[in-house]
Amino acid sequence: MRARGAVSAALASAGILLAGWQAGTQVAEIRSSAEATSAGTATGGTGTSGAGGSTSGSSGTSGAAGSAGAGSASATTYDGAAVATRFGSVQVQITVKAGVITEVTALQLTDEDRKSVQISNRAAPLLRSEVLAAQSAKVKSISGATVTSNAYLTSLQAAIDAANL
Amino acid sequence: MPRTFEKSPAGTRQPLKARTFHRMGTAISLTVPPDAAAGGNGTEDGLAAATAVVERLFSELDQRFSLYRPESEASALARGELSLRDASPVMRERYAEAHEWRLRTEGAFTPERPDAVLDLSGLIKAYAVQESGTSLRALGLQDWCLNAGGDILVSGSPGPGTSVPWDLGIVDPADRGALLAGYPLGGSGGYPVCGRRRHAALATSGSAERGDHIWRQARDAPAFVQVSVAAADIITADVLATAIVAGGMPMLDRATDGWDVAVLAVCSDGALLGTPDFRG
């Protein structure tokens, strides 16, 4: 489920990137961000920002690894600009070899852990005993429906603030 | 005036320091670790200065957006003496943001009351928290927890230099002196290579208490009496919590499908619905 979401988001983003590539409008932007990336991560920079999405991302970076010293046949990676979507930012990296895109890799997918495309993030019934417990001695602050100033004075939050010296 | 408390908790390894003031009809507290070595924000003076910055920000926004102040710009808008076209840029920006959220939540969140008066108060508190967070970071403060009437934004960790999260509690709507659940915020610096990033914000909306900015879409009984949402930012958390209370189950599913959020909802019969992050 997760991989499918990652792939579809990557393809959507790649579409945006490629459209820009073909129109020639985004090439400068792509190149400049690629330079910035390579400066930060040395040659063949792997998308460390990809983090959680690395399952699908790892193959792309291997293509980039050969770029260090190889000539015209070597692969070069370019990072697309991060694109804001309803689910968060999406950023892809393309690997170009001899003028042909050989690899499309997701660097960034809807923040870090793609919960937004997981159906499993839906809310399900929980018993009170199953809920993440609040260890009252460790609680640093309290969230509740808005309390008025008057209600605050009798609330748990006031006690915690008081305890926090 | 910010008030400080003198009592020390028993058995706490590292007592935090908190300052509280009252604005926008609620209490706002800023909590920081006491460790002065970690950027100096744990010193009394540092905390007092930081609180003053936050308090000034809340005051400025309250003066402009409060419908309880006859002289505010929001009141002038509500009376029809001022049109949005002639309103201040900050008013128009917040109005635009509210309408953006109305579209994104398919109407579950709305900046207008049934009597057509523009009411941005639900959004302004969260906006004030967000802006305060920006200011605190600009001051170089790394580790803090800001709570404005249950809307919580954190940065860093209560243990400076560690990845310990801010452990937060969620009030039980059936017994407001008790906690229903816990939730950890912050604590991990940004994007760890492995594992998931923790949320930085937690907001709770209720239909029972002071729900004056929540206007339910349907006339039937509320599906949820209280909804807590954890998100990366406080405006998303606050707006979605409000929207889910107003929009019920369909909005709950839209929120968990469309945003990186954790949700704990209390149904009117006391039953709980929670996303996996809320499972203990």
Side-chain angles (χ1 to χ4, degrees):
Chain A
M1 197 62 74
R2 177 184 176 126
R4 195 178 66 187
V7 168
S8 63
L11 290 177
S13 172
I16 295 167
L17 186 69
L18 293 174
W21 181 279
Q22 286 173 340
T25 54
Q26 261 191 331
V27 172
E29 193 184 351
I30 291 164
R31 289 200 186 282
S32 64
S33 76
E35 281 160 17
T37 306
S38 61
T41 56
T43 43
T46 58
T48 49
S49 63
S54 58
T55 45
S56 62
S58 54
S59 60
T61 52
S62 62
S67 67
S72 61
S74 71
T76 314
T77 60
Y78 300 93
D79 293 354
V83 178
T85 74
R86 182 184 169 206
F87 301 107
S89 288
V90 174
Q91 186 181 25
V92 299
Q93 180 184 68
I94 57 171
T95 302
V96 179
K97 199 169 181 179
V100 176
I101 295 173
T102 58
E103 197 76 55
V104 178
T105 304
L107 291 183
Q108 189 189 357
L109 282 173
T110 63
D111 291 330
E112 195 233 353
D113 71 344
R114 252 71 57 209
K115 290 179 48 185
S116 55
V117 292
Q118 288 182 310
I119 297 300
S120 60
N121 192 43
R122 284 218 167 172
L126 284 175
L127 296 174
R128 295 210 169 206
S129 57
E130 294 175 321
V131 160
L132 200 59
Q135 295 169 278
S136 53
K138 286 172 64 187
V139 166
K140 307 294 191 297
S141 202
I142 289 175
S143 185
T146 306
V147 290
T148 62
S149 290
N150 289 339
Y152 167 80
L153 295 174
T154 56
S155 74
L156 274 177
Q157 183 63 48
I160 285 178
D161 287 342
N164 285 345
L165 192 64
Chain B
M1 275 298 287
R3 297 181 306 160
T4 50
F5 296 86
E6 303 292 319
K7 218 164 36 159
S8 183
T12 310
R13 283 167 302 162
Q14 208 183 22
L16 301 167
K17 290 179 179 296
R19 284 248 178 169
T20 304
F21 64 91
H22 294 258
R23 200 71 77 237
M24 294 187 184
T26 190
I28 294 114
S29 44
L30 178 64
T31 307
V32 299
D35 188 1
N41 59 329
T43 63
E44 279 300 322
D45 286 347
L47 177 57
T51 309
V53 167
V54 172
E55 189 170 1
R56 192 169 66 234
L57 222 149
F58 271 81
S59 295
E60 287 169 4
L61 288 169
D62 191 42
Q63 276 162 24
R64 186 181 297 278
F65 288 94
S66 175
L67 288 172
Y68 295 97
R69 296 171 182 272
E71 76 282 8
S72 75
E73 188 182 353
S75 293
L77 270 169
R79 289 191 300 264
E81 299 165 9
L82 179 71
S83 72
L84 262 179
R85 187 184 309 185
D86 301 318
S88 64
V90 63
M91 176 68 73
R92 288 182 357 204
E93 280 165 23
R94 301 282 69 75
Y95 180 80
E97 183 178 32
H99 269 278
E100 175 99 348
W101 278 110
R102 170 146 81 182
L103 291 174
R104 285 193 232 168
T105 61
E106 299 177 29
F109 177 88
T110 174
E112 268 141 27
R113 304 196 312 216
D115 59 1
V117 167
L118 180 65
D119 184 1
L120 295 172
S121 57
L123 198 58
I124 290 305
K125 182 157 61 87
Y127 177 68
V129 171
Q130 175 188 273
E131 293 299 291
S132 297
T134 304
S135 294
L136 292 173
R137 285 189 203 94
L139 289 170
L141 306 184
Q142 303 294 326
D143 305 292
W144 43 263
C145 172
L146 179 61
N147 187 340
D151 282 1
I152 302 173
L153 179 67
V154 308
S155 175
S157 166
T162 73
S163 60
V164 176
W166 292 90
D167 283 308
L168 306 180
I170 293 171
V171 165
D172 185 345
D175 175 5
R176 303 200 59 86
L179 294 176
L180 177 68
Y183 197 77
L185 285 191
S188 57
Y191 293 76
V193 174
C194 301
R196 58 178 306 276
R197 176 175 54 94
R198 287 201 191 98
H199 293 119
L202 177 67
T204 299
S205 279
S207 59
E209 184 179 349
R210 201 158 178 259
D212 51 0
H213 62 281
I214 300 177
W215 306 98
R216 211 153 289 105
Q217 289 176 305
R219 286 189 167 273
D220 47 340
F224 305 125
V225 293
Q226 180 175 293
V227 174
S228 300
V229 175
D233 70 284
I234 187 61
I235 290 181
T236 301
D238 185 67
V239 167
L240 291 182
T242 303
I244 293 168
V245 169
M249 199 64 205
M251 185 60 224
L252 173 57
D253 286 342
R254 279 203 299 275
T256 54
D257 288 352
W259 283 270
D260 175 12
V261 291
V263 181
L264 182 66
V266 185
C267 305
S268 45
D269 63 359
L272 302 179
L273 288 175
T275 53
D277 284 330
F278 270 105
R279 194 175 283 275

